[in-house]
Amino acid sequence: METKDGCDPLLDLPNHIGGEEVFATGGDWIINNAPSTGEMISRIPRSNQNDVDNAVKCAKEAGPGWASLTKEERAGWLDKIADILEQRIDEIASLESLDTGKPIRIARAVDAERSVANFRFYAKQIRELEDEEFRMKNATNRVLRRPVGVGALITPWNLPLYLLSWKVAPAIGMGNTVVCKPSELTPMTADLMMKVIKDAGLPDGVVNLIHGTGVEAGGPLVSHPDVQFVSFTGGTTTGSIVAKDAATSFKKMSLELGGKNATIILDDCDLDRHMEAIVRASFLNQGQVCLCGSRILVHDSIYESFKQKFVDAVERLQIGDPRNPETDLGSLISPQHLEKVKSYVHLAIEEGGTILTGGGVPSISSEFEGGNWISPTVVDGLSPESRCAMEEIFGPMVTLHPFTTDEEAIQISNGTRYGLAGSIWTNDSTRGEKIAKKMDTGMVWINTWLHRDLRVPFGGVKDSGIGREGGKWSLGFYSEATNICIMDD
Ligand code: NAD
């Protein structure tokens, strides 16, 4: 990470504080490179405590005015933001693809569309939200949902605008004001969102955004005494630091953390029908989705045929130019992350595994030589208790493990510190549901994966996080329930 003085209007993204575009008070910059080529695409302010203080102050000042609007008025603002974002949907997809290295097709269908949908969805949810009433024999209780105050919204690099909009929309919809801190590795669409918010004419200070590192900008934001709630999505290790920093002043907290999800293939699974979806569940976004199934547990009666079909399907994936609409897999996010994934490939061999496919650099055009590339990797022969099968790799690498009984599959699935998601593939959905109920995860899909209804709870158990987002769960987190009990006359 380099820092430089001065500023280049073509390359430099600003912070957005109180409706103004400003640079870091310290004058420092962080270079942002394209993951697919290694070339510099932008610079972001290296914000520090002063910048955090300024952003929180603006959010605090904007609070009372924003909170005084009706829910219909706030929902109207969310719809307006969605409309303008939608006009720029192709730009969102291109920027996200450039900034993350993911294929443009995925950036369009997953990231861009969902970012618009998040604002629309929460506009509708907030419009439909009713105060609850509980009648007693001689009194009435009215439960109101009030804003919490100023929120810190901290997001990772794998689904940048998708996850940021998933927090901003319900947070401001419920009457809070916020300071966002997107990942320093993927700042581009966060900047676009702020420009859209400005174009929409949202009151200044309702949404503020500072760029910077986790330690220099994220840490001070989480600890700030005027921040009342923290919504964090990122790694489990970071999540535990954030939890500690937020706990001392009893901030409300939502933590969406890492995973090591199991994909369970039962003996009655129709492999030909489901193989494409199972491969997608393993390698979408180069395996850099918290929900990806990185441990595939296969009934031993079909293990060999699954292995053959799976490896064939993985080898058919097209890896290369993220701008090409035919591309299935792009590059990893950073040189450091590539090194981490490669270290797990080496570890797999040390642990006695066999690399069935991948593990090396794919053949790609010279334009991408400076990027962070690795072929999708499938490993066989490792114990479910090996480090490769227990630790989150968060890349295009999966391990295969045979099992004999449904109970054994459940036991392996539950055997890690994580508990985010899982999927089960079977011709017998009743049997699938029985297994799902015994899995220690927040979410299970049967014969599908990442099939999202935005009304349902999203989140993990164990070291995968605390709390739930989605639908009424987000509305609950981003508000304080207050009961007023009125005695009958
Ligand atoms: P990360 O934890 O390194 O960073 C996430 C964000 O936290 C970034 O904005 C970073 O700058 C900030 N940060 C870092 N240190 C901080 C600190 N001390 N205080 C405050 N903020 C700090 O995660 P990442 O590498 O960006 O993302 C990958 C991880 O995110 C994976 O573990 C993945 O499973 C997880 N993830 C989880 C979900 C989910 O919904 N459960 C979704 C996406 C990603």
Side-chain angles (χ1 to χ4, degrees):
M1 199 175 289
E2 292 175 44
T3 62
K4 281 190 184 168
D5 294 318
C7 130
D8 175 345
L10 289 179
L11 277 179
D12 295 338
L13 306 183
N15 286 335
H16 298 262
I17 299 181
E20 302 288 323
E21 297 193 350
V22 293
F23 297 118
T25 47
D28 288 336
W29 297 94
I30 298 170
I31 306 278
N32 178 32
N33 295 325
S36 64
T37 60
E39 282 165 16
M40 177 161 94
I41 49 175
S42 65
R43 300 192 310 170
I44 55 168
R46 186 170 193 145
S47 308
N48 60 25
Q49 178 80 56
N50 287 335
D51 306 298
V52 170
D53 289 347
N54 293 341
V56 173
K57 183 166 175 279
C58 286
K60 192 177 172 188
E61 282 168 7
W66 181 247
S68 72
L69 298 189
T70 63
K71 64 188 174 79
E72 286 76 16
E73 285 169 322
R74 289 196 298 261
W77 282 111
L78 298 188
D79 272 334
K80 195 163 181 198
I81 294 169
D83 290 345
I84 306 178
L85 269 184
E86 193 164 35
Q87 288 160 16
R88 298 180 71 172
I89 204 157
D90 292 329
E91 200 185 338
I92 297 173
S94 311
L95 282 178
E96 213 67 294
S97 172
L98 176 70
D99 211 11
T100 60
K102 70 179 68 178
I104 186 77
R105 184 164 47 84
I106 308 296
R108 181 76 162 68
V110 178
D111 299 73
E113 302 229 342
R114 175 63 188 277
S115 304
V116 175
N118 284 340
F119 280 99
R120 287 249 159 79
F121 170 74
Y122 278 113
K124 182 165 183 290
Q125 286 269 303
I126 283 156
R127 244 180 226 116
E128 290 171 358
L129 184 69
E130 298 290 347
D131 290 341
E132 285 179 286
E133 209 169 90
F134 298 93
R135 182 70 202 146
M136 300 164 77
K137 209 166 52 188
N138 52 3
T140 301
N141 294 280
R142 269 199 211 109
V143 182
L144 316 178
R145 293 254 156 219
R146 296 198 296 198
V148 188
V150 175
L153 309 182
I154 301 182
T155 46
W157 47 260
N158 64 329
L159 294 160
L161 189 56
Y162 174 119
L163 289 173
L164 186 60
S165 53
W166 182 237
K167 296 184 190 301
V168 170
I172 65 170
M174 292 306 282
N176 306 285
T177 56
V178 296
V179 178
C180 310
K181 210 303 278 169
S183 169
E184 57 274 37
L185 299 176
T186 51
M188 307 291 276
T189 51
D191 181 68
L192 182 146
M193 180 191 78
M194 292 309 296
K195 291 187 167 125
V196 164
I197 284 174
K198 184 82 183 164
D199 289 349
L202 196 78
D204 293 341
V206 173
V207 181
N208 306 274
L209 184 141
I210 49 159
H211 293 289
T213 68
V215 171
E216 292 164 334
L221 179 58
V222 170
S223 312
H224 199 290
D226 288 334
V227 165
Q228 278 86 32
F229 67 95
V230 178
S231 175
F232 171 84
T233 301
T236 293
T237 307
T238 318
S240 109
I241 298 170
V242 167
K244 259 188 240 147
D245 288 351
T248 47
S249 46
F250 306 105
K251 297 182 201 305
K252 249 188 135 176
M253 237 189 295
S254 167
L255 301 175
E256 301 286 354
L257 310 177
K260 186 74 183 175
N261 313 298
T263 302
I264 301 178
I265 317 288
L266 299 184
D267 48 348
D268 61 3
C269 170
D270 182 340
L271 295 183
D272 293 326
R273 179 168 160 224
H274 294 305
M275 191 51 75
E276 195 184 325
I278 295 167
V279 169
R280 177 173 173 268
S282 311
F283 292 109
L284 183 75
N285 200 25
Q286 298 73 252
Q288 301 169 131
V289 176
C290 55
L291 307 164
C292 273
S294 52
R295 299 178 289 155
I296 307 188
L297 318 183
V298 188
H299 193 275
D300 56 8
S301 66
I302 56 163
Y303 190 77
E304 288 307 319
S305 88
F306 175 86
K307 192 159 90 177
Q308 185 63 53
K309 288 178 189 213
F310 184 69
V311 169
D312 288 349
V314 171
E315 288 180 345
R316 282 197 297 273
L317 291 172
Q318 270 200 45
I319 180 163
D321 189 347
R323 295 163 305 189
N324 179 347
E326 302 298 315
T327 297
D328 297 308
L329 293 182
S331 64
L332 301 200
I333 188 69
S334 66
Q336 293 76 11
H337 194 52
L338 175 64
E339 282 314 308
K340 176 184 165 185
V341 175
K342 279 194 201 157
S343 76
Y344 276 100
V345 174
H346 295 140
L347 180 64
I349 296 164
E350 270 169 45
E351 289 188 310
T354 305
I355 311 292
L356 299 177
T357 186
V361 182
S363 64
I364 36 163
S365 94
S366 57
E367 184 186 352
F368 299 110
E369 268 165 10
N372 316 308
W373 296 88
I374 185 166
S375 300
T377 306
V378 181
V379 185
D380 185 25
L382 287 178
S383 151
E385 278 148 28
S386 62
R387 281 186 53 206
C388 286
M390 297 285 276
E391 297 174 10
E392 187 188 45
I393 301 172
F394 209 58
M397 174 170 162
V398 299
T399 56
L400 306 184
H401 310 274
F403 68 86
T404 311
T405 62
D406 293 0
E407 281 310 315
E408 189 188 357
I410 294 162
Q411 191 203 331
I412 298 173
S413 167
N414 291 345
T416 75
R417 61 191 287 224
Y418 298 106
L420 188 56
S423 66
I424 300 165
W425 304 81
T426 173
N427 271 347
D428 179 351
S429 54
T430 310
R431 179 178 168 201
E433 215 175 324
K434 258 194 212 156
I435 296 174
K437 285 179 182 163
K438 293 186 184 166
M439 284 168 71
D440 293 339
T441 61
M443 298 160 278
V444 185
W445 283 282
I446 299 174
N447 294 330
T448 183
W449 177 78
L450 195 46
H451 193 44
R452 291 278 293 121
D453 180 328
L454 302 186
R455 292 169 301 179
V456 307
F458 182 101
V461 302
K462 302 198 286 189
D463 288 3
S464 290
I466 298 177
R468 293 289 178 275
E469 295 188 355
K472 65 180 182 189
W473 287 269
S474 286
L475 303 188
F477 173 71
Y478 292 112
S479 63
E480 291 289 8
T482 308
N483 185 49
I484 302 176
C485 179
I486 308 156
M487 196 66 189
D488 290 348
D489 293 334

